[in-house]
């Protein structure tokens, strides 16, 4: 949710220019949260709230890149390979498109992937719902994990 008293808007580790601020427990990075949840879900490792509960004061204001890096390490510790991640940011503003390459590069760096394995899209709701009313933004993500070849041979 946007809030004039919130923290500066960050999308997948990249600070968005402008006045937009968000009301959130951590840094409010919806794209990093969605990607974290997608990685954990694809590997059957629970959800972001289990690993980083909002009731835990340690995560107040935390950089969501930590959540994303943790999810990647956990997925890999279970013998999986992160093949591809994809995220769609839903917002009327700010425009994410001009920052697409920086965001993809940041996610790739956090996850230890090639930028070609990271996809980022943005869309609006054409004025519908809370994003359409410019009350906040949302993100949806998908992750594709596979079991390593070594694991398959065992």
């Amino acid at each position: 949710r946007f809030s004039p008293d919130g923290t500066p808007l960050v999308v997948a580790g990249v600070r968005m220019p402008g006045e937009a601020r968000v009301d959130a427990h951590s840094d409010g990075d919806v794209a990093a949260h969605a990607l974290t949840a997608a990685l954990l879900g694809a590997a059957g490792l629970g959800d972001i709230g289990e690993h980083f509960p909002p009731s835990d004061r340690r995560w107040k204001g935390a950089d969501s890149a930590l959540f994303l890096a943790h999810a990647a390490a956990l997925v890999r510790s279970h013998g999986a390979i992160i093949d591809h991640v994809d995220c769609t940011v839903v917002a009327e503003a700010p425009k994410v498109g001009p920052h697409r390459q920086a965001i993809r590069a940041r996610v790739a760096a956090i996850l230890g992937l090639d930028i070609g394995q990271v996809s980022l899209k943005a869309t609006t709701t054409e004025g519908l719902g809370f994003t359409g009313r410019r009350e906040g933004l949302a993100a949806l993500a998908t992750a594709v994990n596979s079991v390593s070849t070594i694991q398959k041979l065992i």
Side-chain angles (χ1 to χ4, degrees):
R1 169 175 69 225
F2 291 136
S3 170
D5 300 324
T7 60
L9 178 61
V10 175
V11 174
V14 175
R15 171 84 161 80
M16 294 288 105
E19 301 299 316
R21 300 177 79 76
V22 294
D23 180 19
H25 179 68
S26 64
D27 63 1
D29 185 337
V30 297
H33 286 219
L35 288 162
T36 299
L39 285 169
L40 293 170
L45 298 172
D47 65 35
I48 193 169
E50 291 176 54
H51 295 269
F52 302 99
S55 59
D56 188 336
R57 302 272 315 144
R58 287 183 297 169
W59 310 123
K60 180 70 177 162
D63 182 346
S64 295
L66 297 172
F67 303 168
L68 190 51
H70 169 80
L74 193 58
V75 164
R76 290 181 175 118
S77 76
H78 282 79
I81 296 169
I82 302 168
D83 293 318
H84 186 87
V85 296
D86 174 68
C87 185
T88 302
V89 177
V90 183
E92 298 294 323
K95 295 298 182 194
V96 175
H99 310 284
R100 183 181 329 274
Q101 290 308 106
I103 292 168
R104 290 178 66 217
R106 179 70 176 131
V107 171
I110 293 166
L111 297 178
L113 299 175
D114 181 78
I115 196 168
Q117 295 172 278
V118 177
S119 175
L120 178 83
K121 304 175 302 297
T123 191
T124 70
T125 57
E126 301 294 329
L128 299 174
F130 79 94
T131 60
R133 291 187 302 270
R134 298 177 184 243
E135 295 171 359
L137 70 164
L140 308 165
T142 303
V144 178
N145 299 335
S146 63
V147 178
S148 71
T149 305
I150 294 170
Q151 293 287 4
K152 287 181 182 176
L153 296 175
I154 295 177

